[in-house]
Amino acid sequence: MTPGQVLGLWRRLAPWPGGRRLFGWLLGLGIPYSGTIGARIRLLEPGHCVLLLRDRRGLRNHLRSIHAVALTNAGELASGLAMTTALPAGTRAIVTRLATDYVKKARGAIVAECRVADPPRPAVPMEVRVEATLTDLAGDVVARVQATWLVAPPQERTAP
């Protein structure tokens, strides 16, 4: 599914009762590993994504807080949805580096948000760094995920 199709599907489903949940389920089918965290998309528009990560036993560590990798996964997912929906059609993007700063134990529901203020319009492959901020429901930052994306212009098709 292309980023344009993802955004189109979100726009069709989000207004309907259960539509956001269905969208999240379909997204999890398309991106199986990211689907394991059960994140719920709350807002998706070009260059901006907000998702909710529910605190549940399957995401916890031995300290009874949300596992570090689940937080990184949520941040990467938010950054990916924000980045790819902001790119021109056909532009390719892949994460080449992830770094996470863990600020405090994550307990309770967590909100991950990413904004891509100035989406790239690459003529040649380029690296773009974006940051997703993860906060608890009290508004305290629990983690920051920096994702470095390799963004490339659409491939030109050669005649067979």
Side-chain angles (χ1 to χ4, degrees):
M1 192 180 300
T2 68
Q5 290 170 324
V6 169
L7 199 54
L9 184 62
W10 168 258
R11 288 175 175 159
R12 280 193 307 278
L13 294 177
W16 293 95
R20 291 177 182 199
R21 188 176 300 240
L22 177 59
F23 176 84
W25 184 79
L26 292 170
L27 189 65
L29 283 178
I31 312 169
Y33 181 74
S34 293
T36 64
I37 63 171
R40 295 183 179 173
I41 310 304
R42 293 294 179 228
L43 180 137
L44 182 59
E45 55 192 33
H48 188 201
C49 177
V50 177
L51 61 85
L52 179 72
L53 183 64
R54 294 174 299 118
D55 186 350
R56 56 189 175 88
R57 187 179 188 285
L59 297 181
R60 289 188 177 181
N61 58 26
H62 64 289
L63 302 172
R64 294 186 313 270
S65 59
I66 298 176
H67 195 282
V69 177
L71 294 171
T72 299
N73 192 340
E76 188 273 341
L77 179 59
S79 81
L81 288 169
M83 172 64 80
T84 60
T85 58
L87 296 173
T91 303
R92 299 169 292 133
I94 188 167
V95 171
T96 58
R97 183 173 191 280
L98 286 172
T100 306
D101 297 318
Y102 301 100
V103 180
K104 70 178 266 191
K105 287 182 184 175
R107 292 198 168 113
I110 301 298
V111 176
E113 181 171 12
C114 183
R115 289 181 190 269
V116 179
D118 189 20
R121 305 287 185 245
V124 297
M126 61 187 292
E127 286 191 342
V128 179
R129 184 171 297 153
V130 297
E131 182 173 281
T133 303
L134 287 80
T135 57
D136 60 21
L137 293 183
D140 295 333
V141 174
V142 298
R144 290 183 187 86
V145 176
Q146 299 84 34
T148 302
W149 289 81
L150 179 60
V151 182
Q155 288 182 328
E156 292 184 24
R157 296 195 176 240
T158 57

